[in-house]
Amino acid sequence: MNIISQAHSLSGHITVPGSKSHTIRALLLAALADGKSSIHNPLPSADCLSTAAAIPLMGSSVELNLTTEGKPGSDWIVDGAGKNLHLPTDVVNVGNSGSLLYFLSPVAATLDGWSVFTGDESIRKRPVAHMVEALNQMGAEAYVTQPGKTVCPMIIKGPVNTKNTVRTEGSVSSQYISGMMMAALRLKGTLHIELSDPKETPYLTMTQKWLEKAGAKVSISEDFKHIEVTGPETMKAFDCTIPSDWEAVAFPLIAALITNSEITIDNIDGSGTQGDDAIVEALISLGADIDWNREKETLTVRGMKKAKNGTGRLSTENLPGGEMHINLSGYPDAICAVAVISCFTEGTIYIEDIGVCRRKETDRIEVLKKELGDLGAEIETGDDFMIIRGHSPVLKDGNRNPAFKMHGGNVQSYKDHRVAMSLACLGLGLGDGEKINVADAECCAVSFPRFFEAMNGIGAGFTEQK
């Protein structure tokens, strides 16, 4: 599916789906629990549905409460396997979900016998050597099946134990660290994990809070280099409500800021368990008109002429040195949204510590350099950084800025959901007559089902190319 995006103003209220990170953790921990757990407001995305399809292979069952249209409902019931958890009865195909791969494989490794993990074409290009090494340190036999490769399919023979301290970088991803933390619930003793270069640390805190709700003893040092989880801990069934997904909030947020818009994003998560909420402070430092009402759980965003100052001009001029340095090591999935908004900001923005973004669904650093560059962006990249020298569409007086050169064109999503959503939003801020055609845009369903319908509900005017 190709989507056409062009200049539109936005207005009204929008609610983004529940958090993918929270939903997948809830499903896996419910599978480990004894009894029936209720999960309200889950994200019915492809990754979460892959998880719902995988955990029954190990003894649990999932009721999605389908609607009359056959779509997953807003309340899911998981009948946990608990003490009857067993080896997967088939190959575990994680689809496109790196979270599922890295979370469930350590749990499977607590069982005596072999498990096999694979995924779609994208997953079979993502590295698992770090996962294999960590599992072997825990006492498993873990291998990739293709000689000379570092990717899935991956085979694992358990059980693992807590005899050895696991030493690993933690820079490739935080997900396999979270997976080992979850697996520790089933192990006797204390699992010690030493990280030399921890990244995506807010997600480790998220896992810690989930495990502590289950009664587990979890310790994480202030620098995130030392983690301890003590088991075994018998999970009990639970009832939870999934908060809104900050990674999804970023897209209507930036769309409103680059258009003559005023929108309210409802059901905003103020718990602090999602590192991506740091994007609000970063954007406000550029002059963004954003009001976060924590009591009402709303985010009101005003862009361009609808901003309180009448221009909505974003600029780095009031920051030290007249430039922005934004470190995304804690929330690297924001790179696509941050890169797009940087193209509409007057000044130089350094997006730093993003090496992990080369190992996501795509090499997002190279993909953004190519696609944004083709649309007129002045962009420079390195191994773990991106520099964007952007321009606001307007001058300080609100008149058109002749230095703003972003334009329309045909772009590729590379079947990466965040790339697709960010490029579609970019098109909304272009000048009259300019259009962006986003190829393979249906991939948005991975994290934001019905993204285009939701955005059209506030005036985005996205259309499908016939």
Side-chain angles (χ1 to χ4, degrees):
M1 177 178 72
N2 287 16
I3 287 291
I4 304 296
S5 174
Q6 55 191 315
H8 276 83
S9 297
L10 309 178
S11 63
H13 289 248
I14 184 172
T15 301
V16 306
S19 162
K20 181 176 74 167
S21 299
H22 278 294
T23 300
I24 294 178
R25 283 168 172 80
L27 284 168
L28 289 175
L29 292 174
L32 296 179
D34 281 313
K36 292 186 177 183
S37 296
S38 298
I39 303 173
H40 310 289
N41 192 42
L43 173 65
S45 72
D47 283 5
C48 297
L49 294 176
S50 292
T51 305
I55 56 178
L57 298 176
M58 299 179 68
S60 67
S61 64
V62 182
E63 174 55 61
L64 300 179
N65 289 318
L66 300 179
T67 67
T68 54
E69 295 82 19
K71 297 184 180 299
S74 58
D75 298 284
W76 296 356
I77 305 297
V78 179
D79 192 354
K83 61 181 178 297
N84 295 318
L85 190 79
H86 55 68
L87 282 170
T89 53
D90 198 352
V91 172
V92 180
N93 189 322
V94 303
N96 188 247
S97 180
S99 297
L100 174 57
L101 172 66
Y102 293 136
F103 289 174
L104 191 57
S105 53
V107 173
T110 64
L111 298 159
D112 188 6
W114 290 96
S115 303
V116 182
F117 285 81
T118 190
D120 67 6
E121 183 180 4
S122 174
I123 282 291
R124 296 195 308 275
K125 294 178 181 177
R126 295 174 70 173
V128 295
H130 55 294
M131 182 81 264
V132 167
E133 181 185 7
L135 289 173
N136 286 330
Q137 288 187 49
M138 291 177 70
E141 291 183 54
Y143 310 92
V144 296
T145 62
Q146 303 173 78
K149 301 289 188 179
T150 61
V151 297
C152 281
M154 175 176 61
I155 58 175
I156 306 163
K157 184 178 187 299
V160 293
N161 56 66
T162 59
K163 293 179 180 178
N164 301 321
T165 296
V166 178
R167 293 181 171 86
T168 184
E169 286 187 6
S171 59
V172 176
S173 169
S174 68
Q175 292 170 336
Y176 74 111
I177 310 302
S178 286
M180 290 188 289
M181 292 170 67
M182 294 181 199
L185 293 176
R186 294 180 40 80
L187 301 178
K188 184 177 181 180
T190 299
L191 178 64
H192 299 267
I193 305 173
E194 302 289 325
L195 305 180
S196 59
D197 188 20
K199 303 294 183 185
E200 301 178 312
T201 53
Y203 295 101
L204 298 178
T205 300
M206 181 188 293
T207 301
Q208 177 184 18
K209 290 183 179 297
W210 270 102
L211 297 185
E212 288 176 341
K213 285 181 183 178
K217 296 177 181 178
V218 183
S219 172
I220 300 180
S221 65
E222 189 172 342
D223 61 5
F224 288 89
K225 290 187 175 182
H226 310 283
I227 300 174
E228 296 180 359
V229 184
T230 300
E233 187 64 49
T234 302
M235 285 285 300
K236 296 180 180 178
F238 53 84
D239 187 300
C240 70
T241 299
I242 303 299
S244 56
D245 189 352
W246 267 102
E247 294 167 0
V249 167
F251 298 108
L253 172 58
I254 65 166
L257 290 176
I258 63 176
T259 56
N260 297 317
S261 301
E262 180 175 351
I263 67 169
T264 297
I265 308 172
D266 296 317
N267 192 31
I268 291 295
D269 177 21
S271 68
T273 59
Q274 300 182 62
D276 302 71
D277 60 6
I279 194 173
V280 172
E281 184 179 347
L283 292 172
I284 289 175
S285 74
L286 296 172
D289 187 345
I290 304 173
D291 292 326
W292 185 351
N293 188 320
R294 293 176 181 271
E295 183 177 342
K296 294 183 178 181
E297 299 182 336
T298 61
L299 204 66
T300 300
V301 189
R302 305 175 189 87
M304 307 304 288
K305 293 180 181 179
K306 291 295 183 73
K308 295 188 186 79
N309 63 10
T311 68
R313 183 173 182 268
L314 303 178
S315 172
T316 63
E317 60 193 0
N318 294 322
L319 297 174
E323 58 192 28
M324 169 179 267
H325 291 259
I326 180 168
N327 188 307
L328 293 188
S329 65
Y331 54 114
D333 283 334
I335 184 176
C336 298
V338 171
V340 166
I341 200 72
S342 298
C343 296
F344 290 77
T345 300
E346 193 67 35
T348 302
I349 295 182
Y350 294 79
I351 307 174
E352 299 169 336
D353 210 350
I354 53 173
V356 67
C357 295
R358 292 192 180 278
R359 300 179 291 272
K360 294 291 186 177
E361 285 81 343
T362 59
D363 180 340
R364 286 178 177 160
I365 296 176
E366 282 306 306
V367 164
L368 291 168
K369 180 182 180 180
K370 168 68 169 60
E371 300 304 320
L372 295 179
D374 286 351
L375 298 175
E378 185 179 347
I379 184 167
E380 176 185 344
T381 61
D383 288 345
D384 66 348
F385 69 87
M386 178 182 294
I387 303 171
I388 297 178
R389 296 175 175 86
H391 295 285
S392 169
V394 297
L395 300 170
K396 289 184 178 181
D397 61 5
N399 289 318
R400 179 183 175 276
N401 182 2
F404 180 74
K405 301 296 184 181
M406 299 299 293
H407 56 78
N410 297 321
V411 295
Q412 298 295 320
S413 70
Y414 302 85
K415 298 183 180 179
D416 185 328
H417 52 123
R418 302 198 198 285
V419 171
M421 288 186 280
S422 63
L423 293 174
C425 289
L426 186 153
L428 301 176
L430 297 179
D432 291 339
E434 299 286 350
K435 297 181 180 179
I436 286 182
N437 182 344
V438 185
D440 297 318
E442 67 276 7
C443 62
C444 295
V446 167
S447 62
F448 198 148
R450 302 181 65 80
F451 169 72
F452 297 110
E453 292 90 337
M455 290 295 292
N456 283 348
I458 55 173
F462 293 130
T463 58
E464 184 175 351
Q465 185 185 40
K466 302 300 184 181

